[in-house]
Each structure stands twice: as C-alpha cells, then as structure tokens.
Amino acid sequence: MRRITKRFISVMAAAAMVFGLAACGSDNKNEDSTASKNSSENQTAAGSNAAESISFDQSEFENAVVTIDNIEIPEGTRIVALGEATHGNKEFQHLKLELFKILVEKTNVRALILEGDVGGCEIANVYIQGGEGTPEEVTRHLGYGIYRTDEMCELIKWMHDHNQTAAEEDKVRLYGMDMQYDEDSIASINSFYGKVAPDKQSKFSSKMAEYLGDSYDAYDASKYDDINALMDEIQADLDSNKDAYAEKTSAAEVEIIRNIAENIKYFISYCVKENETNKARDTYMKKNVDWILEVEEREHNGAVMIGCHNGHMTENQSSMNTFLGVYLNEEYGDSYYTIGTDFYNTKVNLPKEDYSGRFDLDLCSDDPLALAVKDMPENKYFIDFGKIDENTDLGKAVNGKMPTGSVGEYYTAGFENMKPYYQLTFAPTEMYDAMILFYEVNPIVVWDK
C-alpha cells in the first residue's frame, strides 16, 4: 500500500475531525496487539443514547429489511457499488464475495472492480481466467496489505473455480481501479511482451527500469516526459499490432495492457504533477471505472460491481478526501446503485500511528439502524431506502441526519476520545440507495509478508 507522508497524515487527521475519513494507508507487517483502550461494552453504553435519540418502531425496521440473499437490484443498473465502513473488518471483506455471487446469479454483472492496484489485479485476473499460480500468490498482488487476508483469498479462489466450469458468457473478471502503484503494471507489460514480442520486451523493459525503477517510489521525476513518451510508444505499438498480438494472447488482453500503460501515465502524473492529492486519485479511479464499464458493456453486455471504502462510493461528498461516488452519480444517475455498509460495534484492525505494526481497536458508530439489528436472528440485513415511506418514523429517520461509522486505513489517538474522528453525520439517503447493516464486526487478520 502506498506510504503516507507525515504531511498527508496531518491533513487526514484534520479532515477526519470534521468529515470522517476514507483513505488507504501504509503497507506494514501485521503484528498482533490488543491496544484498544475502550472496551466494546463502554462504547456501546456511550453510543446507545445517541442512537436511541433517533426513534422508529423496531417492527417497522424489521419489516423494511431483508436478508442478503433477498437483495434485489433495480432494472437498468449499470454499476453496483458496495462500500465498506472500514477496511479492517472480516465481514466487509467477505461481503464483496457474498454480494458478487448474488449478482452473478441474478443479474448480468460479471466483472468486479476493486479499490486495488490496476496491474496487480490484472495479475490476479490472469489466474482467474485459468492462468498459472495459486490463490494465495495472486492475492498478494491486489495492491494493499489489508487485502492479504483469508477473506480476499477466498474471493480470488471462488472467481477462479467458477470460471473452470462456467459457460463462456458466464465467466467472471477482476479489475483494479487504483493507480497508486507501478510495479505490477510494469510486470504485466513485461509479461505480455514476453509472450507476443520478446525483442520488444527487452527494449521496453530496460527503459521502464531506467525511468521507473523497481519499486513504487523509485521513479525518476526528471524523466516525466520520457515516461509518458515511452507509454505512448507502447500504446502505439499495441494499436499497430493488435491483431497479431491477439492471436498469441487475446484481444481482451491487448486492450487491458493498453489501459495499464495509460495507468502508468496516471501514476506518474499523480506523483509528480498532482502532489498525490485525493481528488486526483479519485479522478483517475473514475476514468478506470468508465473504461471498464465500456469494455464490459461492449464485449459482454454486462454491468459491473465496485468494491471500495464507503467514502469513495457515496453519492454525496461524505469526506473532503473522496470524490469518486459523486463523479459516478453525476455521470450515471439512477443507473449507479449504491449500497453502503455500517456497523454498530466494531473491533477493527488498524495500523499503529507510526505504521510499525497493527492492532485491534473497539469502536461504536452510534448508528441507530445498525443498533436495531442487535436482537434480530441474523447479524446483518439489507435495507433499500427507496422502499421506505418517507412519512413514517423510519422514513423520517433515514432522511434525516444520523451518525454512521467511517474508519479508514489509518489511526490517531483521537479515535478513542472524539467520535467525529470516525463518524459521519449525514442522512443515509444522501449517501446511498441502500445499506447493509451489521450489529458487530470482527477484525481482519493480515498475513505476514
């Protein structure tokens, strides 16, 4: 995961105080710790009053929610976006697979777009399409340390195994939409040219090594123009030889490699020209979603699912750091369908403040909707806001401001003392079309490197 500078951390901390936070952080080795200073019992007691101040009848809530297997996606949906209230809980990671399975069974969704590395997700996708490797190996390429978990490995394995027996039109594909890295993008280009034109692979590989180095931060900023010119040269070569290269691989792979070259241009611009701003990052993620959707609709007549942090996919700007969902909502309108998530109690896995390891922290969102799940038979339920009468108590509640949880891949001591560091206070209907609500969620366990 991209390292975060002290300057950026201080900006995020200030932003979290006012807006909540949804951002990815450092990639450091997991260390077991129980550094939580607030017990879940104390958090629950403190949070209950805030949650219970927003009143609606429990039976009204229970009549409005359904179990996950009964989710219905509106006709005409082109993008289904699933958010996660934290990056550090097992249930939210597993939910990506759970929802994707339902969409593959019930809709024309066959593509999953992760808030993950473009090049690394393509390495995983090659495996999913029947390439060499193991689920464990390719899971390590998804881009972030927080994805090196059993839950994400299960996702990769299911996609691979599904494709082994699925009809051609039912095969699934994985894409990344984040351009913060370049190592696996370089590796994907090198691997491609090794198959289709080894003589060119040698030339392109040496130039990429000279300009971009062998790690994400080893690029030579003075070679900015040279890097762009090299990517232009690669794209021109792909365009000129696409039929010949497609015979040795596939037309789809040629198109993907061309987009990976485009993402190296995004990467170097993001690093050198745009000072690694969140707005630039989300702008490039939007470009990738647009491209993926165009490919899926043209080649497979299919819609897509996005899996990312809540903050990136909300229809309003719920954080000063995130813009993707606003852009998608403006572009696609009602065909962009958003499902946020929340917890009431979480034990969330986070990086330590100095990024020297990881620990688990107990937090309470105060979300009255998630609290309403507490005594129900299941730990999670789906609620579609479009099916709630706005004149009922529940309708007034979801259309009014209420606290919800939002924890990014970063920690500050403020989490334990001031809830605005990890709470949002918008009307749920301003942020999402629907939500999946958990009463309690458990920490991910990140593999050792």
Side-chain angles (χ1 to χ4, degrees):
M1 184 171 286
R2 195 158 187 72
R3 261 180 240 291
I4 296 182
T5 63
K6 290 182 179 178
R7 175 196 63 77
F8 188 48
I9 291 172
S10 65
V11 170
M12 290 198 300
M17 280 291 294
V18 181
F19 295 99
L21 180 70
C24 292
S26 180
D27 179 9
N28 287 296
K29 186 174 181 179
N30 180 57
E31 293 182 4
D32 291 331
S33 174
T34 55
S36 171
K37 295 179 182 178
N38 292 339
S39 70
S40 60
E41 289 80 6
N42 289 338
Q43 288 286 354
T44 301
S48 294
N49 291 333
E52 291 170 356
S53 68
I54 300 171
S55 62
F56 49 82
D57 190 80
Q58 178 69 22
S59 63
E60 185 183 357
F61 175 82
E62 292 181 7
N63 288 333
V65 300
V66 297
T67 55
I68 305 305
D69 55 325
N70 287 307
I71 286 177
E72 294 181 356
I73 304 299
E75 290 285 335
T77 297
R78 300 169 69 191
I79 302 171
V80 179
L82 174 68
E84 55 185 9
T86 81
H87 282 313
N89 285 112
K90 292 180 177 183
E91 287 80 359
F92 298 135
Q93 288 197 351
H94 179 69
L95 192 59
K96 291 179 175 62
L97 172 57
E98 197 170 7
L99 179 60
F100 188 61
K101 283 182 178 180
I102 292 169
L103 296 180
V104 169
E105 177 184 349
K106 294 184 176 183
T107 75
N108 65 336
V109 170
R110 297 294 182 274
L112 174 60
I113 306 171
L114 290 181
E115 180 190 345
D117 178 53
V118 168
C121 286
E122 173 54 15
I123 289 173
N125 185 57
V126 169
Y127 168 73
I128 288 166
Q129 303 313 315
E132 296 181 356
T134 67
E136 294 77 13
E137 289 169 353
V138 301
T139 296
R140 296 178 183 276
H141 285 278
L142 297 180
Y144 303 146
I146 51 170
Y147 286 165
R148 295 176 190 147
T149 64
D150 290 347
E151 290 71 32
M152 295 305 291
C153 187
E154 182 186 5
L155 169 65
I156 298 299
K157 185 178 186 302
W158 182 86
M159 294 180 74
H160 171 272
D161 292 351
H162 170 86
N163 280 359
Q164 297 302 298
T165 57
E168 191 62 34
E169 64 270 18
D170 289 328
K171 290 185 185 296
V172 296
R173 290 159 294 282
L174 180 71
Y175 299 90
M177 65 179 178
D178 207 341
M179 33 47 62
Q180 292 186 100
Y181 302 118
D182 64 341
E183 303 103 306
D184 281 337
S185 291
I186 293 168
S188 292
I189 293 173
N190 282 333
S191 175
F192 174 82
Y193 272 100
K195 292 182 288 187
V196 302
D199 55 329
K200 294 177 183 178
Q201 191 268 352
S202 179
K203 179 182 73 169
F204 291 147
S205 177
S206 63
K207 285 187 177 181
M208 286 190 290
E210 177 186 352
Y211 300 157
L212 293 163
D214 59 1
S215 62
Y216 81 88
D217 57 353
Y219 60 86
D220 184 345
S222 71
K223 299 291 187 182
Y224 177 86
D225 291 336
D226 295 314
I227 293 167
N228 279 284
L230 176 59
M231 293 305 114
D232 288 342
E233 182 182 355
I234 289 172
Q235 289 177 318
D237 178 72
L238 292 167
D239 293 342
S240 298
N241 298 284
K242 61 182 178 181
D243 292 339
Y245 292 165
E247 289 182 2
K248 297 181 179 180
T249 56
S250 69
E253 189 170 353
V254 174
E255 193 168 8
I256 288 169
I257 295 300
R258 195 187 193 287
N259 187 61
I260 286 175
E262 187 72 11
N263 271 269
I264 291 180
K265 291 191 281 187
Y266 296 163
F267 163 80
I268 199 64
S269 178
Y270 169 77
C271 293
V272 176
K273 298 295 186 181
E274 292 157 320
N275 199 30
E276 301 185 12
T277 66
N278 293 289
K279 188 171 185 178
R281 180 189 173 207
D282 275 35
T283 297
Y284 289 130
M285 288 200 288
K286 165 65 163 53
K287 288 178 180 288
N288 280 317
V289 172
D290 289 341
W291 176 81
I292 295 163
L293 180 62
E294 191 278 325
V295 169
E296 286 295 313
E297 291 186 331
R298 166 171 42 89
E299 298 296 332
H300 306 287
N301 193 32
V304 302
M305 172 183 155
I306 297 174
C308 62
H309 194 282
N310 276 351
H312 288 295
M313 49 70 73
T314 52
E315 295 177 8
N316 69 333
Q317 192 173 349
S318 61
S319 161
M320 68 183 295
N321 295 317
T322 54
F323 306 85
L324 174 65
V326 175
Y327 295 156
L328 292 172
N329 192 46
E330 289 173 351
E331 174 86 11
Y332 299 103
D334 289 343
S335 65
Y336 176 58
Y337 187 74
T338 53
I339 306 173
T341 61
D342 204 11
F343 58 88
Y344 188 73
N345 287 324
T346 179
K347 184 184 288 291
V348 61
N349 186 256
L350 294 170
K352 294 179 181 178
E353 197 159 14
D354 62 359
Y355 290 90
S356 63
R358 303 187 69 87
F359 72 103
D360 297 337
L361 179 67
D362 292 301
L363 300 171
C364 174
S365 72
D366 290 349
D367 181 344
L369 300 175
L371 177 60
V373 175
K374 179 179 179 182
D375 295 322
M376 296 179 67
E378 306 290 334
N379 184 48
K380 65 178 184 294
Y381 287 91
F382 173 81
I383 184 167
D384 186 332
F385 298 135
K387 296 181 178 180
I388 298 174
D389 183 345
E390 62 183 15
N391 295 312
T392 64
D393 288 341
L394 181 60
K396 292 173 183 177
V398 300
N399 283 286
K401 290 184 178 181
M402 69 170 60
T404 56
S406 180
V407 184
E409 175 61 358
Y410 122 100
Y411 167 78
T412 176
F415 281 172
E416 296 163 299
N417 302 304
M418 291 174 282
K419 290 199 173 193
Y421 270 93
Y422 65 89
Q423 274 184 338
L424 302 175
T425 52
F426 294 95
T429 53
E430 291 180 14
M431 298 190 288
Y432 316 114
D433 294 307
M435 290 186 75
I436 296 174
L437 302 158
F438 293 78
Y439 176 67
E440 58 187 5
V441 288
N442 297 289
I444 59 171
V445 176
V446 179
W447 301 340
D448 287 346
K449 291 182 179 178

